[in-house]
Amino acid sequence: MRSTSVCYRIKSSINPEAPDSLYTQQVKKKLAAILDSMDEMERQVLQMRWGLIDGCEMTVEAVAKKLGKSPQQIQRWEEQAIRIMHHPELARRKDNR
């Protein structure tokens, strides 16, 4: 049942109306820009593995099953996404793909 999950309890304990600090807003903006520069699969894998959408991190195996891909493919996409996070200039720009 969703209402008893750990992720649900953690998310519901956070005040969604509390204003973000300026620093947090800047970090979120930068992260969104970097994620937007990634390929769709790199972005999806990173979001699922790190819990960037719902706050719940997923294992490589769980992501692989959800996307219908092999764990090795998921690991490669995650590694590429992490490289892009460290060096955003490595991302292929959407208009150049």
Side-chain angles (χ1 to χ4, degrees):
M1 188 183 295
R2 177 114 175 117
S3 63
T4 60
S5 75
V6 174
C7 291
Y8 178 82
R9 283 184 269 147
I10 291 171
K11 285 174 62 178
S12 64
S13 68
I14 298 171
N15 182 356
E17 296 180 20
D20 286 339
S21 70
L22 180 58
Y23 175 76
T24 302
Q25 291 174 12
Q26 290 173 337
V27 169
K28 286 180 180 180
K29 186 176 180 180
K30 181 70 172 175
L31 177 60
I34 293 171
L35 287 172
D36 191 47
S37 71
M38 293 179 183
D39 285 341
E40 182 66 24
M41 291 305 291
E42 293 165 348
R43 180 177 38 258
Q44 282 186 331
V45 167
L46 202 63
Q47 288 172 329
M48 287 189 246
R49 289 279 292 132
W50 292 5
L52 298 177
I53 294 175
D54 61 4
C56 296
E57 298 173 358
M58 296 174 71
T59 64
V60 169
E61 292 77 16
V63 173
K65 185 175 180 179
K66 185 167 185 158
L67 296 177
K69 305 293 181 182
S70 74
Q72 293 79 14
Q73 288 174 305
I74 300 304
Q75 288 174 328
R76 282 193 299 271
W77 280 314
E78 183 179 19
E79 289 168 3
Q80 179 61 27
I82 290 170
R83 276 194 293 277
I84 291 169
M85 294 291 289
H86 287 282
H87 303 284
E89 68 275 5
L90 296 176
R92 293 177 296 277
R93 301 292 170 219
K94 289 186 176 187
D95 54 349
N96 293 335
R97 290 183 186 173

